[in-house]
Amino acid sequence: MTTTESHRPTDGPSDQPAPVVRTTAGAVRGRREEGLAVFRGIPFAAPPVGEARFMAPRPAHAWDGIRDAYAFGPPPPQDLGNLGGPGLLDVPEGDEWLTVNVWTPEPDPAARRPVMVWIYGGAYKLGHTGSPGYDARHIAADGDVVVVSLNYRVGMEGFAFIEGAPANRGLLDQVAALEWVRDNIEAFGGDSDRVTVFGESAGAGSIASLLAMERATGLFGRAIAQSVPGTFFSGELARDIGLALAAELGLRPTVADLSTIAPRRLTSAGETLSAKMPQYIDRWGQAAPTVTPFSPVVDGEVLPTSPYQALAAGSAKDIDLLVGHNRDEYRLFIAMAGRLGQITDEQATSALRLFAPGPDGEQAYRAAFPDASPGELYERVQTDWLFNMPSLHLAEAQTAGGGRAHVYELTWPAPGSGGALGACHGLDIPLLFGTFGADLGALLFAGTEPSAEAQALSSRFRSSWTAFARTGDPGWPAYDDGERLVQVLDAEPVVRAYPEEASRRLWEGYDFSALPLL
């Protein structure tokens, strides 16, 4: 349904009536906030508990009357100690995890504004749309677009291999949310024919997966993938990790066994196994040091092949793609482990031997970066393996399959910690959302007021992303195998040939297929 209604009383100081929109499941009442109509916590699927637990999402239960859509829905079960960071909003309780939120300039069905759907990251084990860093008011207002954010199942509930359950339940949640957008967004002032998905880290990996999934066909026409992780699990690896996860609880990885553990207690299996994962390097190889036992699974059904194979075969040739990464991605993780400036040559050698491509990858890296310190080599190879080359190769797969891709690299250094973090993982989020003091932004901007330079770069992020959502053109040329032009985002943004040429050559021809069980 696409009818929009207005009802008094008003919300807040505005003299406009509180916005009411009728969705396919029932009417919802939002709030007027700083010139926008904002709706939070709208169910797009039924609570995945009881008989529905570990199953594909089911339609939301309908309701009578008008439902207040003022508060974010509860986060999916996860280690809440790692959720959100400074400024975390009060986290509601309950099992209605699968909800969407909408920021719109005006819920007018005739407006048909571009729609941008945010998919959060968090290593496939964390994340919640109520995190303050994901407040989309600036994107919606500055870009005159409708922004939707969605919760999806993470960790054990969303991605663990469980016998008797579909794989990639978190991805199926995302598809269900996109179906909700298709069926309802016109009533909120959006155009269901102009939907762009955008996400960072695990959110970008999810988007890469959606580009390869037949059941997501037609649900979006553009995609923005920020810092794509290259970790996709083979079915065999996912099954072996699933056995280890269940064993942490003394159980088998079956629906019957795991259903005996309450959802918010089940997260303990992932937490305890994460700490032990480096011990499994002889079985799980490159997946072990990531210390996250969850990733999309190339199961042959929900996710038929790796995104790289699918895109090269043309699965997304009709979808406009914007993809990129930050120059110093892995430095954040080194800093969070308290190891900046403390990496030994032995540790660098181990990382090079595990992650560098080809049988002589270690020597190739040392030759390509002859003046690099052990810490720089350690960071460089993991930045390349985990984020930078998977992001670049996604663009190359897209162009190989007959599609179009625009590429960027963020090189502007985070001002926090005296600039020591560089252009690290996650820096693009506070810049895009303009949420400098929230979540990771509080660390990266050191709790200070953002400079004029930061504000200008933040504005550029939003104008480029929303222009892409509107037209498919972010303001710089598409990537090709000849000139390899990319947008370098810095204090003075420039368009130039891909800057990480040494790394690109080292990884040329590398196949980012699903990670195997050794």
Side-chain angles (χ1 to χ4, degrees):
M1 303 180 203
T2 55
T3 57
T4 304
E5 307 164 7
S6 291
H7 289 259
R8 296 186 181 274
T10 63
D11 175 68
S14 171
D15 59 358
Q16 291 181 286
V20 174
V21 170
R22 188 167 298 282
T23 75
T24 50
V28 290
R29 179 187 291 111
R31 294 183 187 274
R32 300 275 178 188
E33 298 178 5
E34 300 180 23
L36 299 172
V38 184
F39 302 79
R40 297 181 174 91
I42 306 171
F44 67 82
V49 295
E51 291 184 357
R53 193 169 175 200
F54 305 126
M55 296 295 113
R58 302 177 180 184
H61 303 310
W63 59 86
D64 296 324
I66 300 174
R67 176 184 173 123
D68 287 338
Y70 299 161
F72 291 107
Q78 58 195 274
D79 178 7
L80 293 179
N82 290 322
L83 182 67
L88 176 67
L89 298 178
D90 289 336
V91 175
E93 296 181 353
D95 53 21
E96 232 173 28
W97 316 324
L98 303 183
T99 58
V100 292
N101 319 290
V102 183
W103 290 258
T104 177
E106 184 59 43
D108 173 10
R112 299 189 69 82
R113 290 178 170 88
V115 180
M116 300 182 70
V117 180
W118 171 251
I119 303 177
Y120 53 70
Y124 305 104
K125 62 182 180 181
L126 299 169
H128 174 222
T129 56
S131 294
Y134 302 148
D135 185 335
R137 71 182 73 179
H138 298 303
I139 299 174
D142 293 2
D144 193 34
V145 297
V146 177
V147 182
V148 177
S149 63
L150 62 96
N151 276 357
Y152 62 95
R153 283 173 284 182
V154 294
M156 294 290 289
E157 301 289 331
F159 288 95
F161 170 84
I162 301 173
E163 291 179 21
N168 301 305
R169 298 171 297 280
L171 298 179
L172 295 175
D173 293 345
Q174 295 166 18
V175 170
L178 288 167
E179 290 171 340
W180 183 94
V181 169
R182 176 196 63 198
D183 297 340
N184 292 284
I185 205 62
E186 185 179 316
F188 292 87
D191 184 349
S192 60
D193 292 327
R194 281 195 296 171
V195 175
T196 299
V197 289
F198 69 125
E200 183 266 353
S201 196
S206 295
I207 287 169
S209 302
L210 292 170
L211 290 167
M213 290 167 56
E214 188 174 338
R215 65 189 72 201
T217 301
L219 296 176
F220 58 93
R222 298 187 175 113
I224 303 173
Q226 304 167 211
S227 305
V228 182
T231 49
F232 298 90
F233 290 171
S234 67
E236 296 76 20
L237 177 61
R239 182 183 294 268
D240 203 60
I241 294 175
L243 281 165
L245 285 164
E248 291 294 328
L249 302 164
L251 300 172
R252 299 169 301 161
T254 65
V255 168
D257 272 25
L258 296 178
S259 292
T260 65
I261 307 295
R264 298 201 185 277
R265 281 191 55 228
L266 189 60
T267 61
S268 66
E271 293 160 31
T272 54
L273 183 63
S274 289
K276 301 177 185 176
M277 284 183 70
Q279 302 170 19
Y280 287 83
I281 200 163
D282 59 329
R283 291 183 64 79
W284 301 343
Q286 293 172 325
T290 66
V291 299
T292 176
F294 310 107
S295 272
V297 181
V298 180
D299 66 315
E301 184 178 347
V302 176
L303 184 55
T305 64
S306 83
Y308 300 92
Q309 288 178 285
L311 266 65
S315 71
K317 65 182 179 182
D318 297 325
I319 294 176
D320 298 325
L321 176 63
L322 171 57
V323 59
H325 57 72
N326 307 344
R327 181 186 58 204
D328 312 309
E329 294 271 6
Y330 201 75
R331 195 174 303 174
L332 175 70
F333 305 103
I334 301 174
M336 291 175 74
R339 298 171 66 189
L340 271 184
Q342 299 178 22
I343 302 298
T344 65
D345 192 59
E346 182 181 12
Q347 290 168 326
T349 297
S350 295
L352 289 166
R353 289 177 180 172
L354 182 59
F355 296 112
D360 60 346
E362 179 197 352
Q363 295 310 318
Y365 255 86
R366 292 187 184 277
F369 301 99
D371 300 323
S373 68
E376 289 166 340
L377 287 169
Y378 180 88
E379 177 190 319
R380 182 78 264 151
V381 71
Q382 294 189 80
T383 287
D384 287 345
W385 172 77
L386 188 54
F387 294 113
N388 288 14
M389 293 305 107
S391 300
L392 180 68
H393 282 220
L394 197 72
E396 293 178 342
Q398 174 72 337
T399 58
R404 186 174 67 159
H406 295 264
V407 178
Y408 74 89
E409 181 181 49
L410 174 62
T411 57
W412 185 82
S417 303
L421 294 173
C424 67
H425 189 66
L427 176 60
D428 45 315
I429 295 175
L431 286 170
L432 173 60
F433 284 85
T435 49
F436 300 101
D439 302 346
L440 194 58
L443 169 68
L444 300 180
F445 289 84
T448 60
E449 281 297 311
S451 65
E453 189 175 279
Q455 293 280 17
L457 184 56
S458 179
S459 178
R460 177 177 278 270
F461 258 95
R462 287 191 292 281
S463 63
S464 296
W465 267 226
T466 55
F468 179 78
R470 182 168 280 103
T471 67
D473 181 0
W476 65 87
Y479 184 87
D480 61 43
D481 290 335
E483 294 184 278
R484 297 194 177 88
L485 294 179
V486 307
Q487 172 73 74
V488 177
L489 292 163
D490 210 317
E492 294 293 334
V494 296
V495 175
R496 53 162 292 191
Y498 183 65
E500 313 304 334
E501 178 64 9
S503 294
R504 188 196 69 78
R505 286 182 175 275
L506 287 168
W507 291 83
E508 199 165 22
Y510 182 82
D511 179 17
F512 279 99
S513 54
L515 297 175
L517 176 67
L518 300 183

